[in-house]
Amino acid sequence: MRGVAQIIAWLESRSGIGAFVRPLLSHRVPASAKWWYVFGSATLMFFVIQVVTGVCLATVYAPSAAEAWESLRYIDSSVPSGWMIRALHGWSSNAMVVMMAVHMLQVFVHASYKYPRELNWISGVALLLVVLALAFTGQVMRWDQDAYWGLGIGASIVDRVPLVGSAMRDLLLGGPIIGGETLTRFFALHVFVLPGAAIALVGLHLALIMRHGISEMPRPDAPVVPSTYVREYEARMEREGVPFHPDASRRDLVFCGACLIALVALAAVYGPFGPGGRPDPTLIEANPRPDYPFMWIFGAVSLLPPSSETLVMLAAPAVIVAWLFLVPLLGSAGERAPSRRPGMVLAAALAVIAIASLTWEGITSPWSPVMDAWSALPTPEAMTRGRTPLELQGAVVFQYAQCRNCHALEGMGGQRGPELDAIATRMTSEQLTRQVQQGGGNMPAYGRNLSSAQMSALVAFLSTLKPQGEAPADIPGALLPLPHR
Amino acid sequence: MAVGAALAGIPIVSFVIGPARKRFEPQWISLGECAVFPEGTTRFATFVNPLRQPTNGESIKTACWVRCVKTGSEYQVFAINCAHLGCPVRWFEQSRLFLCPCHGGAYYEDGSRAAGPPPRGLFEYPWKVEAGRLLIDGARLPGLEDTA
């Protein structure tokens, strides 16, 4: 026993590890922190899971465009626990992004970024960018159809940068096409550059937490005054603070444990993400969708008007990121309580609502045509009953000319254009003919694409689409306001 | 030290930014006999990109749409990539439209923009007919700097 103690004493005297670790455990934290402060620890735990499972995957994964997809299938099917490691890596990646957002939201709402913790926040924003870059490059690692076309979307956005867009795109893709060097390039980013940056930033983030201490829960009428803050904080910690270990760390451990159990359950039940379809770009039945962390961007770019699209696509990320970096510098003193900062709380709430609803829009993608609606969906029976041969022929034209891909009948079909169940109450047959022929309002013109026989049959069918008993659009005195004929 | 850093830095920087500096000569790729593309139709065609790298696998395969207006003398060869954000567009013979699955971009049969978010019509590859075969210059992924 004495020998062991001597070895430990020697190690301590030469390395100073104990002197480094002891303050990490014993530093005093505010007793008021309670359960609000567990999200950062959980984010870090997910990052550790990512490093461990990522190293595991790298021992088998082949970062070659010719073999990556097969090697993932091999990991899923033949490597012991391979599918589970992939599932953990995928789910933990999403969980890390979500937990990071929650952590950031808590810090933002409680204004913990104020003096003297401005750099804590700024290093956190840098971490956010690194983690999002890890998520995007990770999606590329799957090297399936979503990865391939997702790169195409990334390239098309970069391509819109004025003057240097084309060169930037080649730099991103590692050449003039999406190919082998694109994958190796993203692999180097995903396993060397970005994790290295993340580890360095996590180290800085933690060092700053040690330097400035954990912020207290905000109270109204207790503004941050830079000239006296540090002295008062240290005095209060001396008086009311509790040691990080075990008082606060036990909550971190309980929360992280619960997160870990939830992660394993999700991974075990839902399994790994993809790989989706083979990375063969001539299989054009692809329906590319990004991973969840980018779904809101996918939604946003579909809802922008084309005229302002490029500007918003390029300027919005720059403005948002710049604002995030500047938040603590623009308001480093003053009130921290949410009740005294209604504007900031509102901004946070709006951001959450916007991202959540854009994510939902992205998942449901109502603007996307349903590519097989025209051949796969039945014409609702009620719309065929008692119809003339011409009207029935129109129903056939409606399917045949892919109208159904964008227009739903009885809720089935594309959502890109309006549902047409009651179109005859809104438009007369003349208006219908004009709309189909000339298009407009985001509809292509079909004038050259349909024969006049097809056109009259189609309009005859559309003119029957109204709920029973309701007046058609062209009877004078119809209740609905009509555009002038 | 500064001299040493510069000497070591030059190859590192040139390696990293290499892909953005490379310039490519047009490379004519055969899509096959002209007879494969009947007059008045739009057909799907695939080719293997000549910018082959050792590790490309099947991702080097490329697709395009060939519209034959007049056999042997008038063609339009459209890149598969939507001009909006690069997703693969599909041709619908019946409505004579190209539709994009991502954000609903639509194009007429001559490639011009019909509806949706695309800022322009479909990208076209330069083509020529030689010895009865249709050739295109289709090596590069098309982008907004392309005027055709």
Side-chain angles (χ1 to χ4, degrees):
Chain A
M1 272 324 281
R2 252 192 87 217
V4 175
Q6 270 179 337
I7 291 172
I8 291 174
W10 183 88
L11 276 174
E12 177 57 24
S13 107
R14 301 304 189 276
S15 70
I17 287 175
F20 177 73
V21 172
R22 224 167 291 123
L24 295 183
L25 296 174
S26 64
H27 75 278
R28 296 178 88 75
V29 298
S32 61
K34 301 266 190 264
W35 289 96
W36 279 107
Y37 290 22
V38 294
F39 307 119
S41 319
T43 309
L44 181 57
M45 179 200 70
F46 285 125
F47 180 68
V48 172
I49 302 268
Q50 288 308 85
V51 172
V52 174
T53 54
V55 170
C56 289
L57 292 174
T59 61
V60 183
Y61 178 73
S64 143
E67 285 135 9
W69 192 81
E70 288 291 354
S71 76
L72 291 178
R73 305 260 294 182
Y74 173 73
I75 292 174
D76 282 350
S77 61
S78 306
V79 177
S81 301
W83 69 274
M84 186 61 181
I85 298 294
R86 281 200 63 233
L88 285 171
H89 198 69
W91 284 98
S92 171
S93 135
N94 282 342
M96 179 164 61
V97 173
V98 169
M99 203 52 74
M100 198 170 199
V102 173
H103 174 51
M104 195 171 171
L105 207 57
Q106 181 265 319
V107 168
F108 184 85
V109 169
H110 288 157
S112 309
Y113 55 76
K114 284 185 190 271
Y115 179 90
R117 302 186 180 83
E118 297 96 330
L119 272 184
N120 297 36
W121 171 271
I122 289 171
S123 62
V125 174
L127 263 172
L128 174 75
L129 298 180
V130 169
V131 165
L132 289 177
L134 277 164
F136 186 80
T137 53
Q139 176 184 322
V140 173
M141 295 301 104
R142 282 207 300 274
W143 206 246
D144 54 8
Q145 285 180 342
D146 280 351
Y148 183 92
W149 296 110
L151 279 168
I153 293 179
S156 303
I157 292 176
V158 170
D159 201 38
R160 292 180 183 230
V161 175
L163 300 175
V164 291
S166 177
M168 279 174 66
R169 190 187 72 160
D170 290 357
L171 201 58
L172 179 77
L173 298 181
I177 51 167
I178 300 169
E181 284 182 39
T182 316
L183 178 57
T184 43
R185 185 160 278 248
F186 275 77
F187 181 74
L189 288 173
H190 189 72
V191 307
F192 298 118
V193 179
L194 294 168
I199 289 168
L201 284 167
V202 166
L204 173 64
H205 202 64
L206 294 178
L208 289 168
I209 290 170
M210 288 305 294
R211 179 171 166 79
H212 300 300
I214 292 177
S215 73
E216 297 149 291
M217 283 298 282
R219 277 172 297 122
D221 300 319
V224 173
V225 182
S227 54
T228 56
Y229 179 84
V230 173
R231 201 161 13 94
E232 288 177 7
Y233 174 83
E234 279 168 4
R236 272 197 307 275
M237 283 308 106
E238 209 49 54
R239 242 181 7 255
E240 306 156 15
V242 291
F244 171 74
H245 183 77
D247 288 61
S249 63
R250 115 190 107 85
R251 288 197 193 88
D252 284 326
L253 284 176
V254 169
F255 185 72
C256 286
C259 284
L260 201 51
I261 291 168
L263 172 72
V264 173
L266 276 174
V269 172
Y270 293 102
F273 291 89
R278 300 186 70 85
D280 176 347
T282 64
L283 301 175
I284 57 158
E285 306 301 298
N287 191 15
R289 289 292 178 274
D291 281 357
Y292 290 121
F294 304 102
M295 201 57 101
W296 65 281
I297 300 175
F298 183 80
V301 294
S302 352
L303 297 170
L304 291 170
S307 54
S308 63
E309 191 172 60
T310 299
L311 183 69
V312 176
M313 250 184 234
L314 301 177
V319 171
I320 293 172
V321 170
W323 184 73
L324 283 176
F325 274 120
L326 288 176
V327 156
L329 304 176
L330 296 176
S332 72
E335 289 278 359
R336 283 183 55 210
S339 58
R340 297 298 156 86
R341 298 161 51 249
M344 295 302 250
V345 176
L346 188 67
L350 284 179
V352 170
I353 292 168
I355 289 176
S357 36
L358 284 173
T359 300
W360 176 249
E361 289 290 302
I363 291 170
T364 53
S365 295
W367 52 79
S368 288
V370 178
M371 294 301 231
D372 62 351
W374 67 292
S375 53
L377 295 179
T379 304
E381 208 188 317
M383 295 181 178
T384 60
R385 215 174 291 136
R387 302 296 200 259
T388 69
L390 181 68
E391 289 158 2
L392 287 175
Q393 185 59 39
V396 172
V397 173
F398 186 76
Q399 295 288 137
Y400 179 79
Q402 283 93 28
C403 305
R404 197 74 179 272
N405 289 17
C406 292
H407 293 284
L409 294 179
E410 290 192 348
M412 294 181 299
Q415 310 279 314
R416 182 159 184 81
E419 183 163 319
L420 299 181
D421 288 7
I423 188 64
T425 65
R426 300 195 301 272
M427 292 173 90
T428 66
S429 54
E430 287 85 350
Q431 288 169 329
L432 282 165
T433 306
R434 183 192 151 104
Q435 178 66 31
V436 175
Q437 257 173 0
Q438 302 183 2
N442 219 359
M443 173 172 161
Y446 282 79
R448 285 181 297 165
N449 304 351
L450 295 176
S451 68
S452 63
Q454 285 175 317
M455 185 70 79
S456 40
L458 178 63
V459 169
F461 170 66
L462 293 174
S463 302
T464 67
L465 296 182
K466 63 182 183 61
Q468 203 145 32
E470 272 198 44
D474 53 354
I475 288 183
L479 291 172
L480 290 161
L482 290 173
H484 288 292
R485 281 224 249 145
Chain B
M1 184 58 211
V3 176
L7 284 177
I10 287 167
I12 292 172
V13 170
S14 88
F15 184 91
V16 171
I17 67 166
R21 288 156 37 96
K22 247 187 199 166
R23 288 286 160 262
F24 295 91
E25 294 301 308
Q27 303 204 42
W28 293 100
I29 307 154
S30 171
L31 293 181
E33 303 276 336
C34 287
V36 180
F37 307 104
E39 197 167 302
T41 66
T42 297
R43 290 281 161 93
F44 184 67
T46 64
F47 57 93
V48 172
N49 197 302
L51 301 175
R52 188 175 261 289
Q53 300 155 348
T55 58
N56 278 318
E58 55 193 350
S59 67
I60 195 69
K61 286 154 76 179
T62 314
C64 61
W65 294 105
V66 179
R67 176 187 184 220
C68 175
V69 184
K70 192 160 170 38
T71 301
S73 64
E74 209 182 332
Y75 291 89
Q76 282 185 296
V77 184
F78 303 112
I80 196 82
N81 310 91
C82 182
H84 179 223
L85 290 173
C87 291
V89 296
R90 276 180 244 173
W91 167 247
F92 286 90
E93 179 75 45
Q94 300 78 6
S95 54
R96 312 201 78 73
L97 289 173
F98 294 97
L99 293 180
C100 178
C102 281
H103 300 110
Y107 306 86
Y108 295 117
E109 67 180 324
D110 65 354
S112 59
R113 178 186 173 278
R120 48 159 287 163
L122 286 173
F123 299 112
E124 288 185 47
Y125 294 124
W127 58 271
K128 65 180 181 184
V129 173
E130 242 175 48
R133 305 180 78 83
L134 179 62
L135 308 180
I136 62 164
D137 170 19
R140 201 175 187 289
L141 185 69
L144 288 175
E145 82 285 2
D146 296 302
T147 45

